[in-house]
C-alpha cells in the first residue's frame, strides 16, 4: 500500500524546511509557520501557513475575593 504520509516538513519565517519530529519551542515574537506533507510516493501537498504570536510575559491580574 503506497498511501499515507511519509513526512511533514515545516519552516519558520520562510527559512529552510526541516522535518517535523515533534514539538518545538519559539521565543517571544511573531512568526509565520509553514508546513507541507510528502506522501509515500513523493507527492508534495499544498503549503499551509499560520501566523503565530508568542507572548512570554508574565500574566497580570487582581484577585478579588467574593462573599
Amino acid at each position: 500500500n503506497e498511501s499515507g504520509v511519509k513526512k511533514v516538513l515545516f519552516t519558520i519565517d520562510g527559512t529552510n524546511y526541516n522535518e517535523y519530529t515533534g514539538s518545538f519551542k519559539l521565543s517571544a515574537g511573531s512568526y509565520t509557520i509553514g508546513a507541507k506533507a510528502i506522501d509515500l510516493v513523493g507527492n508534495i501537498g499544498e503549503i499551509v501557513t499560520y501566523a503565530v504570536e508568542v507572548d512570554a510575559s508574565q500574566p497580570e491580574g487582581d484577585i478579588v475575593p467574593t462573599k
Side-chain angles (χ1 to χ4, degrees):
N1 185 0
E2 294 185 4
S3 64
V5 175
K6 180 177 181 179
K7 61 184 168 181
V8 174
L9 303 175
F10 74 98
T11 180
I12 300 171
D13 291 335
T15 60
N16 293 333
Y17 277 88
N18 295 292
E19 187 169 357
Y20 177 76
T21 58
S23 62
F24 54 92
K25 293 183 180 185
L26 297 170
S27 57
S30 298
Y31 302 92
T32 300
I33 308 296
K36 60 185 175 182
I38 301 175
D39 69 13
L40 295 173
V41 293
N43 297 313
I44 300 173
E46 183 178 332
I47 298 169
V48 294
T49 59
Y50 299 93
V52 176
E53 177 97 20
V54 178
D55 178 1
S57 61
Q58 295 289 330
E60 296 179 19
D62 297 321
I63 298 175
V64 180
T66 59
K67 294 182 182 183

